[in-house]
């Protein structure tokens, strides 16, 4: 907003009066009405579900009885019939041929009969109304035992000695009569098993029908409840909310004096009252915010003026301070040259101290001026860090050649940032790596890796290293770890690096691994640029 623009303040409303007592539908609470309808619907549905559950349980029991007991018992009865017939056939063939295989088949049929009877008794033990079937099964077993005792077993005992003569006419007639009794008992067993099957099937069908009608009743109840709720919602909710929405729309279109008191159920009336109270609070907040923004605009304008004055002051002060310092250094050097034969060593030393102090003061003023300007005139743009590295190395060409430094790098990406500040960043870090080298020629490696939406850079060297205890102190302005007569500098370089990195949305830190200090690795992050190209150069 410019100085000539004015903000529109909200209107002044009359004080919000006390809430009116509920009248008409406002005395009716939807929660209670819907709760009552819900309880009735739930009870009816639960009744239908209980009936359906009982029928499903009965259906499941009948299905289980039919599939797991009655049907397997019928299969065993079929095997029993085969075993009964097989015994008669096998013993007669044995009597005719004396072939031991028929005797073996006879005995196997007896075993099958016993197994089938035992299986049927186990299957029908817990089946409802299966008592007559089990009793008839016992009669079949008794008839077979009587047939074997009076006919089959004596015949089998005499065949080895007499052969086919053992099957006399009278014995044959007796065996036929006894076997007819067995068949009659077995036929009756089949009928009773069929009747039991039909009875269980009837119970199964009845339970299925009950489940169907219970589900139909539940569905009808649900449909009726839904229709009733739709009617109630239309008359008690939709209409009042539509009226409320219409009035709120009028407020949003500029009619801030429009009251939002509407009729309807208690909840809707309370909602209208709350929205009306919120309208008052919003207008109050609007007025307060508008006034605060107006004050903030005034302060921002004043701050811009102050910053402009401060920048002009810093520029003028730096030049005005440097001029006397240049004179001090120049006149001290002139004194040294003109009166060199009159000065002793102590005098020349004092002059050197004064010249050195003036030069260091000039350097300190220049660094302070540069530090104060970081981030003030940034022009973010996509930049190639490989180009940034080349420019920084060009600026460091003299100390590189003097120290014999070897500087290499990974392929560097593109980032978004201020070109001048990024050059200053790499120049300071590489310059420190070269300056603080050990006995061997300095070796510096610029590395990079992708970390999410950030690029993580590193500057590793083989220099004297930094004690991890000073990992935070080195980024504080004017903090030095070495005396000025050992390593020159003002102690502003890493502080400037930190300010540049943080202004670009990243962070910088000392990578201090455990163990002896061998070289220094500085790491920093920068946001990814518009392009993730990794084309870089290695020097």
């Amino acid at each position: 907003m410019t100085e000539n623009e004015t903000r529109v303040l909200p209107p002044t409303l009359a004080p919000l009066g006390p809430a009116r007592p509920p009248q008409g539908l406002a005395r009716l609470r939807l929660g209670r009405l819907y709760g009552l309808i819900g309880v009735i619907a739930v009870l009816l549905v639960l009744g239908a579900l209980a009936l359906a559950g009982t029928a499903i349980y009965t259906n499941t029991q009948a299905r289980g009885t039919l599939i797991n007991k009655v049907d397997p018992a019928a299969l065993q009865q079929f095997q029993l019939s085969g075993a009964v017939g097989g015994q008669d056939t096998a013993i007669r063939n044995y009597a005719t041929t004396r072939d031991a295989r028929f005797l073996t088949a006879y005995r196997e049929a007896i075993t099958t009969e016993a197994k089938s009877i035992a299986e049927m008794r186990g299957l029908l033990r817990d089946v409802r109304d299966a008592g007559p079937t089990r009793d008839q099964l016992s009669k079949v077993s008794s008839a077979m035992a009587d047939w074997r005792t009076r006919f089959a077993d004596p015949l089998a005992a005499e065949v080895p000695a007499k052969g086919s003569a053992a099957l006399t006419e009278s014995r044959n007639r007796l065996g036929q009569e006894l076997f007819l009794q067995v068949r009659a008992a077995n036929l009756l067993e089949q009928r009773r098993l069929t009747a039991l099957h039909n009875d269980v099937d009837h119970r199964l069908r009845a339970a299925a029908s009950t489940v169907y009608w219970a589900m139909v009743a539940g569905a009808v109840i649900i449909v009726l409840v839904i229709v009733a709720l739709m009617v109630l919602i239309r008359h008690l909710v939709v209409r009042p909310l539509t009226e409320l929405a219409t009035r709120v729309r009028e407020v949003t279109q500029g009619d801030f004096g429009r009251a939002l008191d509407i009729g309807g159920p208690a909840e809707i009336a309370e909602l209208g009252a709350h929205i009306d109270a919120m309208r008052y609070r919003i207008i109050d907040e609007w007025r307060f915010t508008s006034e605060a923004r107006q004050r903030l605009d005034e302060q921002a304008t004043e701050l811009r003026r102050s910053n402009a004055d401060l920048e002009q002051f810093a520029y003028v002060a730096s030049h005005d301070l440097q001029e006397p310092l240049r004179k001090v250094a120049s006149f001290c050097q002139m004194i040294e040259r003109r009166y060199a034969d009159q000065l002793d060593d102590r005098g020349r030393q004092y002059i050197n101290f004064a010249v050195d102090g003036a030069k260091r003061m000039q350097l300190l003023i220049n660094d302070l001026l540069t530090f104060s300007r970081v981030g003030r005139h940034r022009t973010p743009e996509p930049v190639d860090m490989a180009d940034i590295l080349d420019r920084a190395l060009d600026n460091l060409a003299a100390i590189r050649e003097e120290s014999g430094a070897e500087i290499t790098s990974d392929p560097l990406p593109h980032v978004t940032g201020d070109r001048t500040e990024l050059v200053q960043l790499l120049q300071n870090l590489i310059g420190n790596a070269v300056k603080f080298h050990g006995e061997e020629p300095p070796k510096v490696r610029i590395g990079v890796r992708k970390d999410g939406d950030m690029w993580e850079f590193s500057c590793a060297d083989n220099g004297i290293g930094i004690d991890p205890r000073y990992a935070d102190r080195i980024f504080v302005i004017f903090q030095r770890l070495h005396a000025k007569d050992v390593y020159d500098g003002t102690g502003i370089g890493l502080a400037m690096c930190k300010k540049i990195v943080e202004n670009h949305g990243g962070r910088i830190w000392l990578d201090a691994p455990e163990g002896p200090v061998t070289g220094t690795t500085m790491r920093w992050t920068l946001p990814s640029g518009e392009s993730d190209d990794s084309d870089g150069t290695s020097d």
Side-chain angles (χ1 to χ4, degrees):
M1 175 175 290
T2 63
E3 297 180 0
N4 295 328
E5 293 178 344
T6 58
R7 293 187 180 274
V8 178
L9 296 178
T12 302
L13 301 179
L16 187 63
R20 296 184 302 175
Q23 298 177 355
L25 287 178
R27 294 177 296 179
L28 177 64
R29 302 198 69 85
L30 291 175
R32 294 182 180 178
L33 178 61
Y34 290 154
L36 179 61
I37 295 176
V39 168
I40 296 175
V42 167
L43 291 177
L44 293 176
V45 171
L46 287 178
L49 291 177
L51 180 61
T54 303
I56 290 174
Y57 175 78
T58 303
N59 180 276
T60 303
Q61 293 294 321
R63 185 182 300 275
T65 300
L66 187 63
I67 295 175
N68 299 325
K69 295 181 179 298
V70 178
D71 286 346
L75 179 60
Q76 292 297 328
Q77 205 283 328
F78 177 77
Q79 295 180 353
L80 174 61
S81 298
V84 169
Q87 291 179 52
D88 183 67
T89 302
I91 197 61
R92 290 181 180 275
N93 288 336
Y94 176 64
T96 303
T97 63
R98 286 189 185 183
D99 190 345
R101 290 179 297 177
F102 290 112
L103 181 60
T104 301
Y106 167 72
R107 291 172 179 170
E108 290 177 352
I110 293 175
T111 302
T112 302
E113 173 200 341
K115 182 179 178 181
S116 297
I117 291 175
E119 289 285 344
M120 292 178 66
R121 284 175 176 169
L123 291 170
L124 299 177
R125 180 180 297 112
D126 299 326
V127 177
R128 191 178 70 178
D129 299 331
T133 306
R134 292 195 300 270
D135 294 342
Q136 184 61 32
L137 182 61
S138 299
K139 292 180 181 180
V140 172
S141 178
S142 298
M144 281 300 298
D146 185 49
W147 175 80
R148 283 192 297 269
T149 301
R150 298 174 60 186
F151 171 71
D153 290 344
L155 178 60
E158 294 180 7
V159 165
K162 298 181 179 180
S164 59
L167 184 59
T168 61
E169 183 179 352
S170 58
R171 178 173 286 176
N172 183 45
R173 190 181 306 109
L174 176 62
Q176 291 177 349
E177 292 175 354
L178 293 174
F179 197 75
L180 286 175
Q181 294 176 6
V182 171
R183 285 185 173 179
N186 190 43
L187 180 60
L188 183 58
E189 170 67 10
Q190 291 179 354
R191 291 175 179 174
R192 289 186 176 177
L193 191 59
T194 301
L196 179 62
H197 182 281
N198 294 336
D199 180 61
V200 175
D201 182 69
H202 175 73
R203 293 202 302 270
L204 177 63
R205 295 177 182 275
S209 178
T210 303
V211 171
Y212 171 77
W213 287 110
M215 297 302 292
V216 170
V220 171
I221 293 172
I222 293 174
V223 170
L224 291 178
V225 170
I226 291 175
V227 171
L229 288 176
M230 290 177 61
V231 173
L232 288 175
I233 290 174
R234 178 175 178 81
H235 288 278
L236 300 181
V237 177
V238 175
R239 289 181 179 176
L241 284 179
T242 302
E243 182 181 356
L244 178 61
T246 301
R247 297 193 180 188
V248 170
R249 190 180 304 110
E250 293 174 355
V251 172
T252 60
Q253 292 175 352
D255 187 6
F256 298 104
R258 179 65 164 166
L260 300 179
D261 51 340
I262 61 172
E267 289 87 345
I268 306 298
E270 292 176 0
L271 176 62
H274 293 328
I275 295 178
D276 208 24
M278 183 173 61
R279 176 175 63 96
Y280 273 81
R281 289 194 298 271
I282 290 175
I283 292 177
D284 290 340
E285 291 291 337
W286 180 15
R287 180 180 297 104
F288 175 80
T289 303
S290 298
E291 295 172 352
R293 286 182 177 177
Q294 188 171 359
R295 292 193 299 269
L296 184 61
D297 290 339
E298 295 173 356
Q299 294 174 357
T301 302
E302 183 63 27
L303 182 60
R304 285 193 293 270
R305 293 173 182 170
S306 176
N307 286 339
D309 294 341
L310 182 59
E311 184 175 357
Q312 182 66 23
F313 170 77
Y315 180 79
V316 172
S318 64
H319 285 72
D320 290 347
L321 286 174
Q322 290 189 33
E323 181 62 25
L325 290 174
R326 282 194 294 269
K327 288 183 178 181
V328 170
S330 177
F331 279 105
C332 286
Q333 291 173 346
M334 290 175 61
I335 291 173
E336 183 181 11
R337 287 194 302 269
R338 177 168 296 184
Y339 301 102
D341 55 344
Q342 302 179 23
L343 294 173
D344 58 5
D345 293 339
R346 180 62 60 87
R348 283 190 291 270
Q349 184 181 20
Y350 289 162
I351 290 176
N352 290 335
F353 285 161
V355 172
D356 181 65
K359 291 181 178 179
R360 292 186 65 253
M361 190 65 180
Q362 285 180 317
L363 180 61
L364 183 61
I365 291 173
N366 289 330
D367 287 347
L368 279 173
L369 184 60
T370 303
F371 183 81
S372 66
R373 287 176 175 174
V374 171
R376 296 177 62 85
H377 302 288
R378 293 178 62 236
T379 55
E381 59 180 340
V383 295
D384 186 355
M385 288 300 292
D387 295 338
I388 298 298
L389 177 61
D390 291 340
R391 292 182 57 183
L393 294 180
D394 290 341
N395 296 339
L396 297 171
I399 65 171
R400 289 173 58 201
E401 183 176 356
E402 179 183 350
S403 62
E406 177 185 346
I407 302 175
T408 59
S409 74
D410 294 340
L412 299 180
H414 289 73
V415 300
T416 299
D418 182 83
R419 187 179 301 273
T420 302
E421 292 184 359
L422 293 177
V423 171
Q424 186 68 49
L425 171 65
L426 289 184
Q427 182 175 329
N428 286 357
L429 292 174
I430 297 175
N432 281 351
V434 173
K435 179 169 65 176
F436 296 100
H437 68 83
E439 297 179 357
E440 299 179 357
K443 294 182 179 180
V444 184
R445 178 71 179 180
I446 304 297
V448 65
R449 71 180 185 89
K450 191 69 179 293
D451 185 12
D453 58 351
M454 305 288 285
W455 287 106
E456 181 182 304
F457 295 84
S458 64
C459 178
D461 62 58
N462 62 341
I464 62 176
I466 299 176
D467 194 320
R469 292 178 300 173
Y470 306 118
D472 295 328
R473 177 182 171 185
I474 58 176
F475 295 106
V476 179
I477 191 170
F478 298 136
Q479 294 296 318
R480 298 171 52 90
L481 302 183
H482 306 280
K484 66 178 183 299
D485 57 345
V486 179
Y487 294 101
D488 58 354
T490 59
I492 297 180
L494 287 180
M496 187 180 302
C497 291
K498 181 179 180 181
K499 189 173 182 181
I500 292 173
V501 171
E502 291 179 350
N503 284 341
H504 282 76
R507 66 186 186 94
I508 186 171
W509 70 96
L510 171 66
D511 187 357
E514 298 181 357
V517 177
T518 56
T520 301
T521 300
M522 304 298 299
R523 296 187 182 275
W524 69 97
T525 59
L526 293 175
S528 300
E530 296 179 354
S531 174
D532 288 340
D533 296 339
S534 299
D535 297 331
T537 60
S538 298
D539 293 339

